[in-house]
Amino acid sequence: MIGSSYTPRGPFSANNGAMFYQFELDLIIPLYFFTKEKYGVEQAQRNQAAAEAGNISNRQQIVLAVNTAYATYEQAKSQTQFLKDRQVPQADAAYKVGLTQYSNNGQGFNDLLTAQTQLRNLEIALAQAESNLLQAQAVLMVSAGKEPF
């Protein structure tokens, strides 16, 4: 803001001593500052969008991990139930039948050993399936954010 006064003293002005007053208002806009701020705001908006996208990606990965852990748990549970309910009882029945027939001289010793081996293998497979079930249950609980056992 500038204020001034003057008396015109030129060759074409009447020199009557009249005072003139002048008032000037200058407005200086620093364009560099606003441009820099504009780009800074745009960069902040892009960073926010990137953070939101990263957050969505993390949530999707968590949901995927929980779903995968649940699918593994269900598969281990089904395998354990199948072995426990169907295969081990059938192998046990086959072994008992083979033992009965061997004791009555109706079946050979090799057949009895084969039935016994199959029964033992299925019992081991059942123990491994139960172990896998417990591990899958622990992974599922940890994936869901709970303390296992």
Side-chain angles (χ1 to χ4, degrees), residues 74-135:
E74 284 296 317
Q75 183 179 8
K77 183 178 172 184
S78 298
Q79 183 180 9
T80 302
Q81 283 302 115
F82 180 70
L83 286 169
K84 189 182 294 185
D85 294 344
R86 297 203 43 201
Q87 287 197 320
V88 171
Q90 286 177 0
D92 187 46
Y95 173 69
K96 288 178 183 176
V97 167
L99 186 61
T100 303
Q101 287 183 356
Y102 175 72
S103 64
N104 293 332
N105 292 326
Q107 187 175 4
F109 185 68
N110 285 339
D111 293 335
L112 177 63
L113 288 178
T114 300
Q116 183 183 27
T117 302
Q118 288 176 347
L119 175 62
R120 298 299 177 244
N121 287 341
L122 285 173
E123 287 174 344
I124 291 170
L126 177 61
Q128 288 175 338
E130 288 173 344
S131 173
N132 291 341
L133 177 62
L134 289 174
Q135 289 175 4

Side-chain angles (χ1 to χ4, degrees), residues 4-62:
S4 60
S5 66
Y6 68 95
T7 303
R9 299 201 192 278
F12 302 110
S13 63
N15 193 358
N16 58 6
M19 293 285 290
F20 291 95
Y21 297 96
Q22 181 177 346
F23 181 72
E24 181 180 338
L25 178 63
D26 292 336
L27 180 63
I28 300 172
I29 300 173
L31 294 178
Y32 171 76
F33 174 75
F34 287 122
T35 304
K36 183 179 174 186
E37 288 299 313
K38 176 183 163 190
Y39 291 141
V41 169
E42 288 176 2
Q43 183 179 6
Q45 289 172 342
R46 288 188 186 104
N47 288 343
Q48 181 183 6
E52 288 173 359
N55 188 21
I56 290 170
S57 174
N58 288 340
R59 288 175 187 255
Q60 289 174 343
Q61 289 176 0
I62 290 169

